[in-house]
């Protein structure tokens, strides 16, 4: 068994690319403020965009950090974005406190707070992004940096069923640590109930997030890693969610993860993100950056146990429960790149297996 997926009420916005997050706050009179976040973290600057509707008396505040979850160095000061009514704000901000090295993740703290009082926040969250290079002309979708208008805004609300990591249209619902989902737009082929005659050969797809590997992919067809080349930056990730923040903290404090190569070598330098609010739940993500791996076959075993029983708002896990442990895994193959480009491969795990 794996950690289950459920049915959520989603507010849908059309945004292209980047990292997106969304939440809302409701005051005592049921007035609603919303913010949708687009952010691209480059080596020396960040491209940000905020869109939504803001009630009078509130503004947006944000700050960039060199590591996920607000950890590491403060790369910018806490910045205020004055908005009111329907707004669409974007800007590029240059870091003043350092840089984000390539193939590492930074984060942006965002809050809706009382005007002039950023400590009085009614909502806040962190969004992470992997710094994998930016073009000189990287920019947010067309936005308005002038004083926002107070015109009304319309959003579309729909209920989407999530089953086995897939939305009702068959596409991936498995959240990525870096925003969006893994393997967007991929719909796995249906498996026949009865196979007659020769079995059709399954052709590996080239995914839109090549190298991003979900550690439990063997339980989710939509998480198929697909074709991975030795020029792809391989990152293995996993996650956990709960209905409340306290439930998620209980998991974080008591979970014992064993995510290994063929049950022998732990993944190197795993990173834990800050707590995030996604789809009405609280999430934490874990990932290990493996980089450019040597061509070959890899199997990642995923296992989690707990020091004491925990509850995620739906089921109990840990000692004495129906689910004392969860076990899964993911197999993938790394191929030589088709261009024959020389690659400086990460020797992991072979330097430990063949010293």
């Amino acid at each position: 068994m794996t950690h289950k997926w459920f049915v959520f009420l989603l507010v849908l916005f059309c945004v292209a690319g980047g990292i997106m997050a969304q939440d809302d706050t409701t005051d005592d009179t049921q007035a609603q403020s919303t913010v949708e976040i687009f952010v691209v973290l480059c080596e020396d600057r960040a491209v940000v965009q905020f869109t939504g509707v803001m009630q009078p008396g509130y503004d947006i505040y944000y700050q960039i950090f060199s590591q996920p979850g607000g950890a590491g160095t403060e790369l910018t000061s806490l910045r205020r974005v004055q908005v009111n009514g329907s707004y669409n704000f974007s800007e590029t901000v240059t870091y003043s406190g350092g840089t984000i090295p390539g193939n590492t993740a930074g984060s942006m703290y965002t809050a809706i707070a009382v005007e002039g009082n950023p400590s009085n926040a009614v909502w806040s969250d962190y969004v992470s992004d992997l710094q994998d290079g930016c073009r000189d002309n990287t920019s947010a979708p067309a936005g308005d940096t002038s004083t926002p208008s107070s015109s009304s805004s319309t959003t579309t609300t729909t209920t989407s069923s999530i089953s086995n990591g897939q939305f009702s249209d068959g596409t991936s619902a498995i959240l990525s640590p870096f925003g969006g989902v893994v393997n967007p737009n991929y719909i796995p082929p249906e498996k026949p109930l009865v196979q007659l005659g020769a079995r059709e050969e399954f052709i590996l797809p080239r995914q839109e997030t090549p190298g991003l590997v979900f550690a439990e992919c063997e339980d989710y067809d939509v998480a198929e890693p697909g074709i991975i080349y030795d020029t792809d930056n391989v990152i293995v990730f996993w996650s956990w969610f709960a209905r409340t923040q306290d439930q998620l903290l209980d998991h974080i404090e008591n979970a014992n993860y064993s995510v290994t190569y063929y049950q022998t070598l732990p993944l190197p330098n795993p990173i834990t993100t800050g707590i995030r609010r996604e789809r009405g739940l609280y999430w934490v993500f874990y990932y290990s950056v493996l980089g450019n791996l040597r061509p070959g076959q890899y199997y990642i075993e995923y296992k989690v146990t707990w020091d004491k029983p925990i509850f995620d708002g739906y089921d109990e896990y840990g000692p004495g429960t129906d689910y004392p442990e969860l076990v899964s895994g993911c197999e993938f193959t790394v191929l030589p790149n088709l261009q024959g480009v020389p690659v400086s491969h990460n020797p992991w795990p072979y330097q430990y297996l063949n010293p």
Side-chain angles (χ1 to χ4, degrees), residues 31-355:
Q32 188 178 68
S33 294
T34 64
V35 59
E36 185 171 0
I37 303 168
F38 174 102
V39 58
V40 178
L41 299 183
C42 305
E43 179 182 13
D44 58 356
R45 66 194 187 281
V47 180
V48 301
Q49 182 184 45
F50 302 109
T51 56
V53 179
M54 192 65 62
Q55 298 302 313
Y58 295 91
D59 280 331
I60 295 172
Y61 295 84
Y62 78 93
Q63 187 172 16
I64 309 298
F65 296 86
S66 64
Q67 295 180 18
T73 304
E74 296 179 358
L75 299 181
T76 70
S77 60
L78 184 65
R79 299 173 67 85
R80 178 185 178 185
V81 179
Q82 295 179 273
V83 293
N84 185 37
S86 178
Y87 63 90
N88 185 351
F89 173 91
S90 65
E91 70 175 352
T92 298
V93 56
T94 302
Y95 307 148
S96 58
T99 59
I100 301 178
N103 293 323
T104 61
S107 61
M108 180 173 72
Y109 166 79
T110 307
I112 297 176
V114 174
E115 289 181 355
N117 188 3
S119 62
N120 190 3
V122 295
W123 172 89
S124 64
D125 202 357
Y126 290 92
V127 178
S128 296
D129 184 29
L130 184 69
Q131 200 287 90
D132 53 1
C134 295
R135 299 184 180 91
D136 290 339
N137 60 349
T138 297
S139 60
D144 180 8
T145 58
S146 61
T147 303
S149 68
S150 58
S151 60
S152 61
S153 175
T154 302
T155 61
T156 301
T157 303
T158 183
T159 301
S160 296
S161 174
I162 298 178
S163 176
N164 201 31
Q166 295 172 253
F167 288 118
S168 55
D169 64 357
T171 58
S172 174
I174 299 176
L175 291 174
S176 160
F178 312 111
V181 298
V182 67
N183 302 343
N185 302 312
Y186 173 63
I187 300 178
E190 294 185 5
K191 296 179 180 178
L193 296 178
V194 179
Q195 181 69 43
L196 299 177
R199 184 178 298 275
E200 292 185 9
E201 181 182 0
F202 174 66
I203 300 176
L204 287 176
R206 176 65 170 165
Q207 302 289 17
E208 293 183 43
T209 53
L212 186 58
V213 177
F214 185 46
E216 302 173 74
C217 79
E218 67 184 20
D219 293 312
Y220 299 95
D221 292 341
V222 76
E224 165 61 51
I227 296 173
I228 298 176
Y229 295 116
D230 61 351
T231 48
D232 292 325
N233 182 32
V234 177
I235 301 175
V236 177
F237 79 96
W238 58 102
S239 61
W240 192 266
F241 62 79
R243 295 185 71 172
T244 71
Q245 184 167 330
D246 286 342
Q247 290 167 348
L248 185 60
L249 287 171
D250 200 27
H251 163 79
I252 293 172
E253 293 171 359
N254 291 282
N256 304 301
Y257 281 105
S258 173
V259 186
T260 61
Y261 171 81
Y262 283 107
Q263 305 179 30
T264 56
L265 290 175
L267 294 189
N269 305 315
I271 295 172
T272 304
T273 70
I275 294 175
R276 303 179 193 169
R277 180 81 163 161
E278 300 275 0
R279 298 174 179 167
L281 299 170
Y282 292 87
W283 295 74
V284 62
F285 296 85
Y286 308 83
Y287 65 92
S288 175
V289 180
L290 302 180
N292 303 124
L293 293 177
R294 294 180 183 178
Q297 191 173 43
Y298 296 81
Y299 180 75
I300 303 300
E301 185 196 64
Y302 167 94
K303 181 178 180 180
V304 58
T305 61
W306 294 267
D307 293 331
K308 68 176 186 179
I310 66 143
F311 181 59
D312 67 354
Y314 303 95
D315 286 301
E316 291 183 332
Y317 300 85
T321 72
D322 290 340
Y323 309 113
E325 66 178 22
L326 297 181
V327 178
S328 186
C330 186
E331 183 176 14
F332 62 93
T333 300
V334 176
L335 302 175
N337 68 88
L338 298 179
Q339 294 75 27
V341 175
V343 180
S344 178
H345 294 117
N346 178 3
W348 185 91
Y350 299 104
Q351 79 269 38
Y352 299 106
L353 301 177
N354 303 301

